[in-house]
Amino acid sequence: MLTLSEVTAIEGVEGDFTVSVLQKPRYVDIDKCIACGLCAQKCPKKVGDEYNENLTKRKAIYVPYSQAVPLKYAIDAENCIHFSKGKCGACETHCPSGAINFKDTAREIRLQVGSLILAPGFRAFDPSRFDHYAYLGLPDVVTSLEFERILSATGPFSGHLLRPSGMRGKKPIEKQPQKIAWLQCVGSRDINRCDNGYCSSVCCMYAVKQAVMAKEHAKSALDCVIFNMDIRTQGKDFDRYYDNARKKGVRFVHARIHTVDPVPGSADLLLRYVADDGRQQEERFDMVVLSTGLEVRPDAIALAQAAGVELDRYHFTRTDSFHPVATSRPGIYACGAFAGPKDIPQSVMEASAAACAATEALAAARHTRTRSVNIPAQRDVSREAPRIGVFVCNCGINIGGIVRVPEVAEHARTLPGVVYVEENLFTCSQDTQDKITTVIREKALNRVVVAACTPRTHEALFQETLINAGLNKYLIEMANIRNQDAWVHAENPQAATQKAKDLVRMAVANAAFSSPLQETELPVSRSALVVGAGVAGMTAALSLARHGYPVHLVEASGNLGGNARRLNKTFRDEDIAAFLTDLIRQVEAEPRLTVHLGASIQRVDGFVGNFSSVISQGDSQLTVEHGIVILALGAQESKPAEYLHGEHAAVITGLEMDELLRKQDLRVQKAQNVVFIQCVGSRNTERPYCSKVCCTHSIQSALELKTLNPEINVYILYRDIRTYGAREDLYREARRRGVLFFRYDPDEKPQVTANGKKVAVQFNDGIIGRNLLVDADILCLAAAIVPRDHQRLVQLFKVPVDSDGWLLEAHQKLQPVEFATEGVFLCGMGHYPKPIEESIAQAQAAAAKALTVLARQQIMVGGKVARIQAEWCSGCLGCIQVCPYGAITFNAEKRVAEINQALCKGCGACAAACPSEAPLLAGFSNRQIYAQIRSATSAAA
């Protein structure tokens, strides 16, 4: 990892690039720096802290933030007194490890690589150019990033919600705001004042999140108002969050605020706007948050120039919908916000997609530069008395703002077997991990308890720390004092603190009886199974095959292509049919790829690295061995049961409109009035989600109708127009060409009645306060996208779906293409509705994650799994009936149950169900559980 570095030149071609890198001097030797912070304490120079958006000061020698990687100090030479005046040197004088090196110089590095991935990120729009928001003159007008830092535990006010105006000067006054306004689309959706015509995609959702969090942080009633043109919560589960925010009292006002005015004689802020009913309103607020958009940084533009890749009109990387992470220069790829504004899940997906695309052409060179990691020998602790170390995390204010962490740490010191206790700001940070490794060695710890957040996301991290310290990775116990305590008892710090003590005491009791667990190696079947042959499935299958692995592609229908067969153009006007024809040709020509059309999966056995599936195709069956599975199951357009759909020929759906346009049908050529109704069957009680693609799709159809007949009248009735990203250009073009947009309220939906060959559509125009009536030749319904019925496949592969029927990923942000079931991955519309470029990126991401299994020779199984104590088994079959993973079979000859440790996930259902206590779950022995129970009840007593 090269920090403080920038790419200055890229020469060569795909597979053989020479990259010139300039690494700037740090003036601190990272091998000697121990991150003690003494240098910063002694440094006399204070400058604005960029990480905290200049709301606080930092020193000229600093680390950007507490979880920085590497956690090593650096000197800001532009502000350092030593470099500007030749004086000082306090950091060098007081550094205990001699890490300061004022003679450090920049150095040039040349790297030989086969491909490159550009991920330089973004910067938030600077609103200081807009004097009407008074951002520079009024301290209580802040940007969204500044407000994010205000709410953060490591921010300027330690996570307390306070007005910045009161915190200035030598005697700060801590005053909580009572009323906060968010102004959306500052620096985006605006071609008049900043030339950023695109939607930044994330601002609506982060404003909703900030409003909810602000209410949670506030110690008294807080009025939160979000002023918006449209609320664009189009992501998975985002609309639910939006609905919950409204239920919690967050107000949403359709208005774009022009000016923020100070209220004479006070620090309050005055906003004037026109409400939906046309009346002018004005409100006073304590704070105003400017929801600033995302834009490309100047140094990222310079990087693109050095790389020789093309940018679009907004300076984002120019890509196309069918190759969403490929730039204009072969061998160079881009991901994240550099390729267009997007949220975290999509950025994470694109990162994996770029890794997949970047390594396709390099597959032949795999492992040629692999280096082995030296793992310390594991210490035998089996005969040692417990020496337990307890590490209690503040997690910023997630825990420390509610739980009195010092009391919990003090309580831990009184517990039997505990020889070391420490509290940390962030126990998961790299410096704390390194410190835990050192403490384990220096204090000869043989058990570790971490009181922090959920083991679901962090246990693997702490297990790695134990491995680096020479301990068996299963000698760790986590007490979840965040999710199970601080978050659920936020209103009762006393009870939360007591519960944290109880959880830590129980964890220590468990750890005292824990023992090292072992894992065994199993070979990997280095081939893949992909289920579903739409665009996502074919893309994933091709990617895996081009990386050198045999792939079986199974499709239930008799055709390749899925929903793409019914689509015309992407939002960039690219021909989907031509792309699909070429993709199918590539699939059929790939020698490592076997296609099974009209086929189904009949049976699945095995586990990650060693699956065995039976494919049924006509009258024949084929058993295939494979190491991974990718489920690309697709979705479908629903059939509306309203607005006369299915009863009147003039009422059609979006895909049916595509077919009419594709065939140049006389109905669309002769139509004089066409009405589109959005959100038909979605964003309601039955389906509380946004189908994501419908707004763009309807506007595309409207523009095509206008191209066929410029005189046609096109009306789009909507709740919120969600043309996120560069799709906003389409929305603006539609308005320019005369497409009329009318917002409707879900409580006052349009009314449709038959009128001969036409339908009469009546709706309310909120601006003029009257009902309008259109005799429509065609009424096009933006029908909800719904998941297909995949219940049988879901059960076969033992993967979950959410309450709406979409495939449920392991973690929306951290593992967006993985299931909790190891070795099974997901992509495409079966996960959630998405446009074609996002489906392709997700397919490449799923392939990238699958490659992490296929590239291995073997996998490790065992650890926290169950085994049957044969002498206690009565053969009742109770454990087999409750095992959700099919890991238990009955040995008829021995008359006992047996557990396949590779299939067992350690859920403990068998141990709980067995009346004889024959199943023994490693890491959860009766002795450990009883010790925890005794520890829990000792507090009650």
Side-chain angles (χ1 to χ4, degrees):
M1 179 172 64
L2 299 176
T3 58
L4 293 171
S5 302
E6 60 183 47
V7 173
T8 56
I10 300 173
E11 300 168 340
V13 296
E14 183 176 17
D16 185 20
F17 286 112
T18 299
V19 182
S20 299
V21 178
L22 177 66
Q23 186 171 45
K24 299 174 183 178
R26 179 182 289 270
Y27 304 109
V28 176
D29 188 331
I30 61 173
D31 294 324
K32 294 180 180 179
C33 177
I34 58 174
C36 64
L38 190 59
C39 55
Q41 291 178 25
K42 301 299 182 181
C43 177
K45 181 68 174 180
K46 292 183 179 181
V47 297
D49 182 0
E50 301 90 342
Y51 179 68
N52 275 317
E53 294 294 302
N54 294 311
L55 293 172
T56 56
K57 300 289 185 181
R58 64 163 172 83
K59 298 297 184 68
I61 185 167
Y62 69 108
V63 287
Y65 56 99
S66 57
Q67 291 176 293
V69 178
L71 194 75
K72 305 294 181 181
Y73 278 76
I75 293 177
D76 176 1
E78 290 185 4
N79 290 293
C80 176
I81 296 173
H82 175 83
F83 286 103
S84 62
K85 297 181 179 180
K87 301 178 181 179
C88 193
C91 54
E92 183 180 37
T93 302
H94 293 92
C95 179
S97 58
I100 306 301
N101 178 15
F102 288 127
K103 295 181 180 179
D104 195 7
T105 58
R107 62 190 184 113
E108 292 187 2
I109 303 169
R110 291 174 68 82
L111 305 173
Q112 298 297 130
V113 299
S115 59
L116 293 93
I117 297 174
L118 308 181
F122 68 93
R123 72 174 182 184
F125 178 81
D126 180 4
S128 59
R129 72 182 79 171
F130 293 164
D131 57 2
H132 52 280
Y133 288 141
Y135 168 65
L136 293 178
L138 300 175
D140 288 329
V141 178
V142 299
T143 67
S144 47
L145 270 182
E146 289 169 350
F147 192 76
E148 195 79 23
R149 297 311 306 152
I150 287 171
L151 293 180
S152 174
T154 57
F157 310 145
S158 301
H160 299 293
L161 180 59
L162 302 171
R163 295 180 68 171
S165 59
M167 300 303 291
R168 295 187 170 190
K170 296 181 179 180
K171 295 182 178 180
I173 302 172
E174 295 189 357
K175 186 178 181 181
Q176 178 190 297
Q178 304 300 309
K179 197 171 181 181
I180 306 176
W182 279 259
L183 311 189
Q184 298 308 103
C185 303
V186 176
S188 55
R189 298 184 71 183
D190 188 347
I191 59 173
N192 297 317
R193 295 175 292 184
C194 65
D195 294 326
N196 290 347
Y198 55 87
C199 164
S200 289
S201 301
V202 302
C203 316
C204 287
M205 192 59 202
Y206 75 55
V208 177
K209 180 206 74 171
Q210 287 181 346
V212 171
M213 289 181 63
K215 279 182 166 288
E216 293 171 352
H217 280 240
K219 295 180 180 179
S220 58
L222 178 65
D223 187 9
C224 296
V225 186
I226 298 178
F227 292 91
N228 65 90
M229 293 189 288
D230 304 277
I231 289 294
R232 294 182 170 176
T233 49
Q234 67 271 359
K236 190 174 185 178
D237 285 332
F238 287 8
D239 250 331
R240 271 194 176 86
Y241 196 88
Y242 170 35
D243 290 338
N244 287 336
R246 287 191 295 186
K247 292 174 183 176
K248 291 179 178 179
V250 178
R251 289 194 287 139
F252 294 85
V253 176
H254 292 303
R256 190 161 192 172
I257 303 297
H258 180 272
T259 304
V260 178
D261 290 318
V263 176
S266 78
D268 292 352
L269 309 166
L270 183 67
L271 303 184
R272 296 182 179 90
Y273 61 94
V274 177
D276 284 338
D277 60 8
R279 291 185 298 176
Q280 184 168 318
Q281 305 281 345
E282 63 177 46
E283 290 190 59
R284 291 172 63 152
F285 291 88
D286 299 314
M287 286 183 69
V288 169
V289 181
L290 306 179
S291 293
T292 49
L294 282 55
E295 60 182 15
V296 180
R297 301 198 317 261
D299 59 336
I301 297 173
L303 172 63
Q305 292 171 344
V309 303
E310 296 178 9
L311 303 179
D312 67 16
R313 59 179 290 201
Y314 298 124
H315 304 299
F316 295 108
T317 312
R318 187 181 298 282
T319 61
D320 65 66
S321 299
F322 308 132
H323 307 90
V325 294
T327 70
S328 59
R329 184 173 178 182
I332 300 182
Y333 303 87
C335 61
F338 188 42
K342 56 183 62 70
D343 59 11
I344 292 173
Q346 187 62 28
S347 294
V348 172
M349 272 188 255
E350 278 194 3
S352 294
C356 179
T359 52
E360 262 188 27
L362 310 179
R366 183 179 292 116
H367 298 314
T368 57
R369 294 190 179 184
T370 303
R371 291 180 294 178
S372 298
V373 177
N374 293 321
I375 299 175
Q378 192 175 120
R379 195 170 103 228
D380 182 6
V381 301
S382 58
R383 298 187 179 183
E384 296 179 8
R387 291 182 58 82
I388 303 171
V390 179
F391 299 86
V392 188
C393 184
N394 280 271
C395 196
I397 63 166
N398 279 299
I399 296 171
I402 294 121
V403 174
R404 295 191 293 276
V405 170
E407 285 186 31
V408 178
E410 193 59 37
H411 177 70
R413 292 186 177 92
T414 67
L415 301 176
V418 174
V419 297
Y420 183 85
V421 176
E422 182 179 301
E423 56 175 295
N424 316 106
L425 181 61
F426 291 104
T427 309
C428 61
S429 65
Q430 186 58 51
D431 65 315
T432 305
Q433 298 297 300
D434 295 340
K435 187 171 185 179
I436 292 174
T437 300
T438 302
V439 169
I440 289 173
R441 291 172 176 158
E442 291 179 351
K443 303 294 182 181
L445 303 182
N446 54 28
R447 310 285 193 282
V448 172
V449 170
V450 174
C453 52
T454 172
R456 181 180 174 219
T457 55
H458 284 74
E459 184 177 49
L461 175 68
F462 295 118
Q463 286 181 331
E464 191 71 25
T465 302
L466 264 64
I467 291 172
N468 293 334
L471 283 184
N472 183 279
K473 72 177 188 179
Y474 292 105
L475 294 174
I476 184 170
E477 182 69 16
M478 290 192 69
N480 189 349
I481 63 172
R482 186 186 71 173
N483 307 49
Q484 296 177 357
D485 186 16
W487 280 1
V488 292
H489 302 296
E491 302 302 320
N492 193 339
Q494 177 61 34
T497 301
Q498 183 56 50
K499 183 175 179 180
K501 293 178 183 178
D502 295 342
L503 289 171
V504 169
R505 187 173 59 256
M506 293 166 66
V508 168
N510 182 306
F513 292 105
S514 63
S515 57
L517 305 179
Q518 304 305 319
E519 298 177 334
T520 56
E521 289 185 356
L522 288 178
V524 172
S525 177
R526 304 178 80 184
S527 61
L529 175 69
V530 178
V531 183
V535 166
M538 287 191 289
T539 299
L542 263 179
S543 294
L544 293 173
R546 287 171 176 167
H547 276 87
Y549 300 103
V551 182
H552 290 273
L553 178 61
V554 177
E555 170 56 41
S557 73
N559 299 295
L560 299 172
N563 286 309
R565 301 177 71 89
R566 302 182 65 188
L567 298 172
N568 296 342
K569 299 287 184 68
T570 70
F571 84 96
R572 296 185 176 100
D573 203 38
E574 299 144 318
D575 190 331
I576 292 176
F579 160 73
L580 189 60
T581 299
D582 185 59
L583 182 62
I584 291 172
R585 179 192 61 77
Q586 294 177 55
V587 166
E588 293 174 341
E590 173 55 55
R592 298 185 186 89
L593 209 165
T594 304
V595 178
H596 305 270
L597 292 176
S600 60
I601 306 296
Q602 293 300 306
R603 194 180 76 245
V604 178
D605 297 310
F607 46 88
V608 56
N610 291 272
F611 289 105
S612 177
S613 298
V614 176
I615 302 172
S616 176
Q617 190 174 20
D619 297 328
S620 64
Q621 289 193 337
L622 173 69
T623 300
V624 297
E625 311 294 327
H626 52 100
I628 64 92
V629 181
I630 294 178
L631 299 181
L633 302 184
Q636 60 190 358
E637 183 184 60
S638 63
K639 297 300 180 185
E642 56 185 327
Y643 300 124
L644 300 184
H645 183 264
E647 301 175 34
H648 197 289
V651 184
I652 61 176
T653 65
L655 286 180
E656 291 165 349
M657 173 66 84
D658 268 19
E659 186 176 1
L660 295 181
L661 291 169
R662 189 163 55 247
K663 295 178 178 179
Q664 297 287 289
D665 191 280
L666 286 176
R667 293 169 63 188
V668 296
Q669 292 190 43
K670 293 184 176 181
Q672 295 300 310
N673 294 293
V674 177
V675 177
F676 292 82
I677 301 180
Q678 301 305 109
C679 300
V680 177
S682 59
R683 297 185 67 191
N684 56 21
T685 304
E686 181 186 0
R687 301 187 190 102
Y689 59 84
C690 168
S691 291
K692 196 171 187 177
V693 300
C694 315
C695 288
T696 302
H697 193 245
S698 292
I699 292 174
Q700 282 180 267
S701 297
L703 286 169
E704 192 162 350
L705 289 168
K706 279 287 188 179
T707 300
L708 287 172
N709 177 12
E711 302 304 317
I712 193 173
N713 297 312
V714 182
Y715 309 84
I716 296 182
L717 313 183
Y718 70 98
R719 291 174 59 184
D720 295 282
I721 290 294
R722 293 180 170 177
T723 46
Y724 59 96
R727 289 166 173 79
E728 183 69 14
D729 290 343
L730 281 178
Y731 182 26
R732 187 167 50 255
E733 176 65 10
R735 298 197 307 273
R736 188 188 69 80
R737 291 174 61 179
V739 177
L740 300 177
F741 292 82
F742 298 88
R743 189 189 302 275
Y744 74 86
D745 191 294
D747 295 328
E748 193 178 349
K749 295 164 69 171
Q751 300 298 311
V752 179
T753 55
N755 185 16
K757 291 184 178 181
K758 300 181 180 183
V759 290
V761 183
Q762 181 176 297
F763 54 92
N764 181 263
D765 182 350
I767 294 176
I768 64 175
R770 296 178 60 184
N771 286 335
L772 302 181
L773 184 70
V774 175
D775 280 333
D777 299 290
I778 300 174
L779 171 60
C780 184
L781 306 180
I785 297 174
V786 295
R788 298 183 187 276
D789 183 8
H790 298 308
Q791 191 59 36
R792 188 169 176 278
L793 279 170
V794 163
Q795 291 174 346
L796 282 172
F797 288 105
K798 303 178 181 66
V799 296
V801 295
D802 65 17
S803 58
D804 298 317
W806 304 111
L807 297 175
L808 183 61
E809 62 273 49
H811 192 285
Q812 192 176 75
K813 289 182 172 65
L814 304 180
Q815 297 172 287
V817 296
E818 300 166 70
F819 286 108
T821 302
E822 287 185 271
V824 187
F825 307 91
L826 71 147
C827 63
M829 297 258 280
H831 162 255
Y832 189 70
K834 55 180 65 68
I836 195 166
E837 73 274 13
E838 292 179 20
S839 287
I840 291 171
Q842 193 178 27
Q844 292 176 308
K849 289 297 182 180
L851 288 168
T852 63
V853 177
L854 296 178
R856 287 186 273 174
Q857 297 286 349
Q858 64 276 323
I859 59 167
M860 306 299 293
V861 300
K864 286 188 177 180
V865 294
R867 64 179 178 85
I868 301 292
Q869 300 172 94
E871 65 275 17
W872 290 4
C873 179
S874 64
C876 71
L877 308 184
C879 58
I880 296 175
Q881 294 166 2
V882 300
C883 179
Y885 301 101
I888 309 176
T889 55
F890 184 69
N891 187 322
E893 182 179 339
K894 297 181 180 179
R895 303 294 300 172
V896 296
E898 295 179 340
I899 296 177
N900 183 333
Q901 292 197 350
L903 285 175
C904 178
K905 301 300 178 187
C907 69
C910 56
C914 180
S916 306
E917 295 189 348
L920 180 63
L921 181 59
F924 297 90
S925 66
N926 286 348
R927 189 164 64 158
Q928 288 173 281
I929 292 172
Y930 293 152
Q932 282 189 293
I933 293 172
R934 284 193 300 270
S935 178
T937 55
S938 67

